[in-house]
Amino acid sequence: MARTSPPTGTVTFLFTDIEGSTRLWEQDAAGMEVALANHDAILRRAIETHAGHIFKTIGDAFCTAFSTPSDALAQRDLESQTARAGREMRVRMALHTGQPEHRDGDYFGRDLNRVARLVSIGHGGQVLVSGLTHDLIGDQVPTSAGFLDLGEHQLRDLERPERVFQLVHAELSTDFPPLESPEKPRHNLPRRLTRFVGRERAIETVKELVEQHRMVTLTGLGGTGKTRLATRVARGLLDRFEDGVWLVELGAVTDPARVPQAVASAVGIREAGGRPLLETLTSWLRSKHMLLLLDNCEHAAKACADLAALLLHSSPAGTSTARGLGTRILATSRESLGLEGEQVWRVPVLDTPNPDELPSTAVVEAAQAFDAVQLFVDRARLARSDFAVTEANATTVARLCHRLDGIPLAIELAAARMAVLSADEIMDRLDDRFRLLRSRSKTEGARHDTLEATIEWSYELLESDEQALFRSLSVFAGGWTLNAAENVCPPAANVIDSLGALVDKSLVLVEREPAGESRYRMLETTRDYAAQRLAETDKVNAVHDRHLSWFAGLTERAEDGLSGPDSADWMDRLRAENDNLRAALEWSLEHQEWAASAQRMVSTLWRYWRRAGTLTEGIEWATRAVATGSPADLRDRGKALYGLSSLLFFHGALARSREVADQALALGEAENDPVITVRALAAQGRIDVTEGALDTSIERHERALAIARGFDAAWALRAVSLLLGNLAEAYRAQGDLERARSLYLEGLELSRVQGNLTAEDVLHFNLGQTELELGDTEQAREHYREGLSLAVQVGNRLTRMYGLVGLAQVASVGGDCRRAACLFGAAEALREPMGAVLDDVDRDLYDRHVAATKSVLGDELFDAAWAKGRAMNLETASQLALDGS
């Protein structure tokens, strides 16, 4: 069907010309005139039949445009037709696809230059196809036709080389000389069919390293994109090496002795005259300015290191000249090669958003600012062209990328599942990620067919001791220290050396703190694999038991620490081990023989949960622990009951808090245990204040004080400080503010002597409340400031909330109502996720000051300031409170 208008947009060009036409005209001009007329008629008829548009003829050359590559490909038998046109004429043809500019009946742009150069390197009877057109044709190749890959060729005057294919068909000749490209290709880097996403800074960093060092090795866990990054860098350095950049793929080289042959084959060197290959290779490289990319060296690391050393020592041209940088090597491996002068750079996983920190507004933009999300979106669109990140799925996509550790391979495999699953459905199946994340590609190597396979490749390269340690380390959640590993992992293992090897092999990450112990961790994906391998052994229970014992011991050591001058350090330590503490608690609660350990841990950890502001989680663990019925140490059980009662109290569950406190008191009195008895009485008395039973509260606290003052022990001194504060609360609720202040000050002085910072911050808050009620705003401000500063120092989120409330009240009294409303909003935003409540005495004061602030500002200004405070992060809000007070 004849085309009525020229195609626009994406266009496939077919250029033809007659090989040796000048010579044919000289030999027989009359015969050539007839033959050319026939040639033109055949071409025009065939082109128009397949909706082609002839936009230009130059002598015997036709320039034609088609809407689709398949229409252009239909001209494959033109050469055989024109050869029968009355005189033998051999027509060469080339196809290339692009998006040219069209105006005034003609086409313009780089794509026309490329197809013209492409046809010029062919031979009569040969049909050449560019790499892009070949890919677009895909499986639409006509029956009995195919393509022959002729490799990459540098076309004259064009910067980018071209991958060239030859059309193969029964009616076409296949016997042609080599293509007449003016230059040999200067690299053998593969042309990727998918887009390279992100990592701009990594690309520039590695480029600089290659320019500065003769040997650079990119290390990292399998699937992190080492090869992709290395080839991207190598392509960008092509102009720095006159003799090109050459990829040596070693993944399939099973015999390390064949590494030199792989290098020689990549650069086109063959043994000659009985001369050893290594001698031929080193001699040839001596004067070259070339970059060798040794890919996947880990399974032949020594052979690669030996060869690299030999090549670099025999190629002294290691400084920059007009011709390039000499011979340099860029390697990829899951561990360093250990070569002298080797610069190692660990390829990081992609940046991922923390889904819990994404803003509530502009969430799509915030999520897509991360490379991991950009990669997921790009690959998901290959599976489902209409996929997009929306407000509805942005958090799920962010969480998915986060759970996959930012590992590019894992993200790509997950994105491929978007063809049949939603992002939520993929998330729901991530607990079985190794079954879910399998490739359907027929071109990937076995190591990248599944996420599991790429980790297994690294695991199989480990020594037996390293494998044993790798399996055992899977019991750690959220990381570990060297000391913890030495106590939890198999006693026979050389932990230091084996751990170092796992770090070198990129299976374990090390995070060196500026001060203190180094901390180690596995990516979640790696840990899942290691846990599966541990479950296959008979050591799994023993390793989990040792893990529980270690962290139960840690909580015992933390009991005194959380009440002493080092409480801030202990809060930081427990916060770092939070996931391990959860894992240990879960193991103890799942195994009856270890249930006593759960009560022992809860008897200390309730303080951590209260200060960290995780009241709900603490209540859940403590409830499960005391419900086990374990024959635990009775003091541990009593302390656990007191801890649960305390958490329930601050959560506002007073009825349950009293019920648990009553159980603790019954246990303390039955066992005649002063520690449990004193704590239980304090818990009951605190609840009495809130419920208005003030005389009863005073009686309980006086009784508890009498018991505690009979002991000269650390627990008793801490208890006295606590009881004085609680007793002061009862008197403050009665309206006896002077008596309350005196008791608060006595408890504060005792806490200072003990170095009990976490008692001091609460007492400062209560003193601030008392002074505010007495009308001494300046004294109230000083106590609130001191309490908030201590709360920041020790990491006590609960009393930070109290401090924000107190300084908001001071601001309100002082007439700074916008600041007050802002701080009230910030305190509320901090309180809500903790599930904390103010007791009735403090709540009454709070409500009065909020109402007064609102009446001054009016609803609109109050609400705006309140919202501003709610949107603040904790550090900003705390600084605002301290700076303005």
Side-chain angles (χ1 to χ4, degrees), residues 630-798:
S630 166
D633 179 274
L634 292 178
R635 176 165 291 182
D636 285 340
R637 180 171 181 79
K639 287 157 65 177
L641 287 167
Y642 170 75
L644 175 57
S645 177
S646 181
L647 293 172
L648 289 165
F649 174 82
F650 285 105
H651 195 54
L654 298 184
R656 283 190 62 203
S657 180
R658 180 177 291 282
E659 179 184 342
V660 175
D662 290 347
Q663 293 178 34
L665 181 60
L667 178 63
E669 291 177 337
E671 298 297 324
N672 196 26
D673 188 309
V675 176
I676 301 175
T677 300
V678 165
R679 290 189 178 187
L681 287 169
Q684 289 180 327
R686 186 168 50 193
I687 298 168
D688 289 335
V689 172
T690 302
E691 294 182 340
L694 302 180
D695 290 339
T696 303
S697 175
I698 292 171
E699 291 175 6
R700 291 188 200 275
H701 283 109
E702 293 288 5
R703 178 187 169 196
L705 276 168
I707 297 172
R709 282 175 169 152
F711 294 87
D712 185 19
W715 74 265
L717 294 176
R718 290 197 297 269
V720 169
S721 176
L722 167 71
L723 292 165
L724 288 171
N726 285 1
L727 186 58
E729 283 288 278
Y731 282 110
R732 182 159 74 95
Q734 278 188 340
D736 190 346
L737 299 179
E738 293 293 346
R739 179 72 181 274
R741 178 167 58 184
S742 175
L743 290 168
Y744 282 137
L745 287 171
E746 184 182 353
L748 181 61
E749 183 60 30
L750 184 57
S751 296
R752 283 172 174 163
V753 171
Q754 299 166 358
N756 190 349
L757 303 183
T758 56
E760 285 187 55
D761 60 0
V762 175
L763 288 165
H764 273 298
F765 173 75
N766 288 331
L767 273 164
Q769 297 286 80
T770 304
E771 297 291 1
L772 196 62
E773 290 184 87
L774 286 168
D776 193 337
T777 306
E778 290 304 314
Q779 279 296 313
R781 176 186 289 111
E782 289 308 309
H783 282 300
Y784 288 140
R785 280 177 55 84
E786 188 65 24
L788 179 57
S789 297
L790 286 170
V792 171
Q793 180 180 339
V794 301
N796 192 334
R797 293 174 65 88
L798 188 62

Side-chain angles (χ1 to χ4, degrees), residues 9-11 13 98-102 107-109 111-112:
T10 300
V11 177
F13 292 107
Q99 293 183 317
E101 178 185 356
H102 180 265
Y107 293 95
F108 302 89
D111 295 308
L112 282 87

